[in-house]
């Protein structure tokens, strides 16, 4: 693996020595609450606020497609009717990507997790621990192999009453699309933040890397447990501390093990993935959290251009191959 990273480091040195002097100081930031999270986009060396706003609008457009809770979204319609003929291209592409990573992670990621997300309703107003029987009754419905994609007419069919939730992967996909839009429109330095997904367009105008903090889990002050130096890469963190409720001194968080129907209890509480594409990072950070340290490291070491930083319940930090070089 790690070919990409070596190349990345060389580029990084070249850039830091070549684009220092005389660069313009202009930059623009736009932000809002979208995709159920805080979103912000900063563009450097430009004051084109209109472009930044258009990038923000991309979030809204995709939310109308991928949201599980907007009743008329393309995803809701699919979940209701169980079939989308000539489906929206982005929805088709994202579901295809979801199936790819569900396979790669041996079902730790499973985009048919929707029945459990609705049952637990962890992001809702009154979440509570469901009855064991209720959980058991839903287990047969959760299996990404129940999704059929038919390439010829771009049809998505959900068998066995399957239902999809794209919460674990949509932000990564959207971040990648926003980056493409901005780069196509001439942006050379920028940073896109969609909640726990951060995507850097190149480095900063002065040639220095972006500095990205990894939050200390359950720390109210949000002090970073460590910081990363990032140039033109995505950093995605999934953590049990991001959305949870407590009952009888136990934490019930929003990342559900599809094999059990209950919040993952793998020993990991935070996984950060550094990768070129944010959708890969989004899929893998969620999956690795469920897989636990050993399996997660093995998987990450087997994928070119991807590495991870794992934090367990005792706050021990471990790195997959290639990750330590990003630590500041
Ligand atoms: P966040 O959305 O907080 O950034 P993640 O990317 O890890 O964090 O995604 C968590 C979301 O993914 C959950 O809120 C839920 O919508 C969905 N989800 C939970 N467990 C799984 C799973 N095993 N496979 C696929 N999606 C999941
Ligand atoms: Mg994710």
């Amino acid at each position: 693996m790690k070919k990409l990273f070596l190349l990345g480091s060389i580029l990084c040195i070249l850039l830091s020595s070549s684009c220092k002097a005389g660069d313009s100081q202009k930059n623009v930031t736009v932000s809002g609450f979208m995709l159920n999270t805080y979103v912000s986009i900063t563009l450097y060396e430009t004051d084109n606020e209109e472009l930044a706003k258009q990038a923000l609008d991309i979030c809204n457009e995709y939310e109308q497609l991928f949201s599980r809770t907007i009743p008329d979204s393309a995803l809701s319609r699919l979940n209701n009717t169980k079939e989308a003929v000539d489906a929206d291209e982005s929805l088709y592409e994202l579901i295809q990507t979801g199936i790819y990573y569900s396979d790669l992670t041996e079902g730790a990621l499973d985009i048919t997790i929707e029945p459990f997300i609705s049952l637990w309703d962890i992001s809702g107003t009154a979440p509570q621990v469901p009855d064991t029987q209720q959980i058991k009754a839903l287990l047969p419905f959760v299996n990404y192999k129940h999704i059929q994609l038919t390439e010829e007419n771009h049809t998505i069919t959900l068998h066995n009453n399957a239902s999809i939730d794209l919460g674990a992967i949509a932000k990564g996909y959207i971040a990648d699309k926003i980056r493409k839009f901005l780069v196509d429109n001439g942006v050379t330095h920028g940073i896109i933040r969609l909640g726990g997904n951060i995507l850097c367009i190149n480095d900063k105008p002065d040639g220095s890397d972006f500095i990205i903090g990894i939050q200390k889990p359950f720390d109210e002050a949000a002090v970073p447990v460590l910081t990363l130096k990032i140039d033109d890469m995505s950093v995605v963190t999934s953590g049990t501390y991001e959305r949870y409720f407590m009952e009888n001194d136990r934490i019930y968080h929003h990342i559900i093990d599809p094999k059990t129907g209950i919040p993952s209890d793998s020993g990991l509480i935070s996984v950060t993935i550094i990768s070129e594409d944010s959708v890969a990072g989004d899929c893998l950070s969620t999956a690795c959290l469920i897989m636990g340290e050993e399996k997660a490291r093995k998987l990450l070491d087997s994928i070119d251009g991807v590495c991870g930083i794992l934090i367990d319940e005792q706050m021990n930090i471990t790195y997959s191959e290639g990750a330590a070089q990003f630590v500041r």
Side-chain angles (χ1 to χ4, degrees):
M1 117 173 208
K2 318 310 162 197
K3 292 166 256 162
L4 178 74
F5 291 150
L6 282 177
L7 184 63
S9 319
I10 296 164
L11 277 178
C12 178
I13 295 162
L14 290 176
L15 282 171
S16 47
S17 60
S18 67
C19 55
K20 269 189 188 132
D23 290 331
S24 157
Q25 295 301 307
K26 287 182 294 187
N27 62 56
V28 55
T29 297
V30 291
S31 60
F33 192 84
M34 294 167 187
L35 309 166
N36 210 14
T37 193
Y38 177 74
V39 168
S40 80
I41 297 171
T42 298
L43 312 180
Y44 294 86
E45 295 192 309
T46 175
D47 53 8
N48 192 343
E49 196 173 345
E50 195 44 46
L51 187 68
K53 281 184 180 159
Q54 282 172 12
L56 211 54
D57 283 345
I58 292 176
C59 291
N60 277 328
E61 285 161 26
Y62 280 118
E63 191 164 18
Q64 296 303 317
L65 291 172
F66 301 151
S67 168
R68 175 185 63 90
T69 51
I70 296 175
D72 196 35
S73 72
L75 179 65
S76 294
R77 280 183 271 131
L78 170 63
N79 281 340
N80 290 336
T81 60
K82 306 297 176 200
E83 184 151 88
V85 182
D86 197 13
D88 173 88
E89 206 178 308
S90 306
L91 183 67
Y92 190 92
E93 187 183 34
L94 183 54
I95 289 177
Q96 197 167 39
T97 306
I99 294 172
Y100 173 80
Y101 281 100
S102 296
D103 249 334
L104 191 70
T105 60
E106 294 175 351
L109 182 85
D110 191 320
I111 57 170
T112 59
I113 199 78
E114 194 281 328
F116 288 132
I117 303 304
S118 290
L119 179 69
W120 283 88
D121 197 23
I122 292 191
S123 307
T125 45
Q128 54 179 340
V129 182
D131 192 80
T132 314
Q133 289 311 317
Q134 283 177 295
I135 295 174
K136 267 195 177 161
L138 293 179
L139 279 169
F141 300 113
V142 176
N143 187 341
Y144 66 94
K145 292 189 173 149
H146 295 160
I147 309 170
Q148 185 190 340
L149 297 182
T150 311
E151 194 64 48
E152 301 89 74
N153 54 355
H154 247 224
T155 292
I156 309 164
T157 312
L158 305 181
H159 299 286
N160 294 47
N161 213 24
S163 194
I164 292 177
D165 177 302
L166 298 170
I169 70 175
K171 289 198 289 290
Y173 178 90
I174 296 167
D176 288 334
K177 294 293 179 190
I178 292 176
R179 170 175 58 183
K180 185 172 185 318
F181 168 78
L182 291 171
V183 169
D184 286 351
N185 280 281
V187 172
T188 48
H189 304 275
I191 184 160
I192 302 158
R193 293 171 187 270
L194 311 182
N197 290 56
I198 294 170
L199 183 53
C200 301
I201 300 174
N202 293 318
D203 52 3
K204 288 198 256 174
D206 67 359
S208 62
D209 291 333
F210 285 105
I211 306 299
I212 311 290
I214 297 182
Q215 197 182 323
K216 186 171 177 191
F218 298 104
D219 186 273
E220 298 277 304
V223 176
V225 66
L226 50 83
T227 51
L228 306 175
K229 305 168 294 193
I230 299 295
D231 174 359
D232 210 24
M233 300 281 271
S234 155
V235 178
V236 182
T237 301
S238 284
T240 59
Y241 55 89
E242 274 166 17
R243 288 172 211 266
Y244 66 92
F245 71 96
M246 291 195 71
E247 198 171 291
N248 298 327
D249 288 334
R250 248 197 89 171
I251 284 174
Y252 295 94
H253 62 85
H254 69 314
I255 298 174
I256 308 286
D257 185 340
K259 310 257 176 352
T260 61
I262 60 175
S264 79
D265 191 17
S266 68
L268 292 178
I269 56 172
S270 163
V271 174
T272 297
I273 302 291
I274 304 164
S275 56
E276 204 172 309
D277 293 330
S278 200
V279 72
D282 209 353
C283 293
L284 290 170
S285 62
T286 309
C288 286
L289 196 98
I290 295 166
M291 294 168 85
E293 189 197 320
E294 211 184 305
K295 280 189 179 166
R297 281 177 58 175
K298 215 168 146 194
L299 174 68
L300 295 174
D301 289 348
S302 74
I303 307 173
D304 268 2
V306 165
C307 63
I309 299 168
L310 319 173
I311 306 179
D312 71 14
E313 283 159 340
Q314 284 75 43
M315 298 290 169
N316 296 312
I317 303 176
T318 50
Y319 303 93
S320 81
E321 246 178 68
Q325 68 178 292
F326 291 98
V327 178
R328 200 171 167 218

